[in-house]
């Protein structure tokens, strides 16, 4: 039987600030908070229907843990965020910039359909064009 992808762990220097920022970005509440770890999960994970979903079919959470060092090189793994089918990619990018994201150049070129940004601690992520799935 294959293993289940449970969460993505994000190393950071300020666990609470990073978790709060990503909570606002995604609209995900905190499921667990301690000095050395904060866990965010999708809002539907708090519903009865989610609890009845087989574990292998459940979505992943984000876990923020402290590390002493700052980020120094491009991420080897990043998150892709997608606006809904009726949402505007440029408006979402601006919302994230207004929240403290910065534009990032990871060699993507100018002819791509996504925008590369970095969170307040420099972790790159992409904002894709609007998607319905």
């Amino acid at each position: 039987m294959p293993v289940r992808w449970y969460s993505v762990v994000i190393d950071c220097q300020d666990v609470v600030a990073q978790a709060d920022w990503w909570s606002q970005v995604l609209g995900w509440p905190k499921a667990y908070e301690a000095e050395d770890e904060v866990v965010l999960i999708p809002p539907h994970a708090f519903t009865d229907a989610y609890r009845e979903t087989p574990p292998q079919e459940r979505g992943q959470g984000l876990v923020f843990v402290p590390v002493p060092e700052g980020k120094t090189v491009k991420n080897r793994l990043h998150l892709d965020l997608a606006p809904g089918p009726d949402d505007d990619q440029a408006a979402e990018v601006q919302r994230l910039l207004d929240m403290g994201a910065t534009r990032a150049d990871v060699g993507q070129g100018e002819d791509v359909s996504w925008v590369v940004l970095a969170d307040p601690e420099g972790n790159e992520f992409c904002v894709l064009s609007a998607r319905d799935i």
Side-chain angles (χ1 to χ4, degrees), residues 80-87 113-114 127-133:
D80 281 349
L81 307 180
D86 298 323
D87 295 329
S113 62
W114 62 88
V127 180
L128 307 176
S129 56
R131 308 286 163 103
D132 61 356
I133 56 171

Side-chain angles (χ1 to χ4, degrees), residues 39-70:
V39 179
L40 303 180
I41 59 175
H44 69 273
F46 291 95
T47 66
D48 289 336
Y50 182 84
R51 288 191 237 356
E52 295 168 6
T53 302
Q56 66 274 18
E57 295 177 19
R58 296 178 184 172
Q60 299 73 37
L62 290 177
V63 179
F64 299 84
V65 298
V67 295
E69 71 277 357

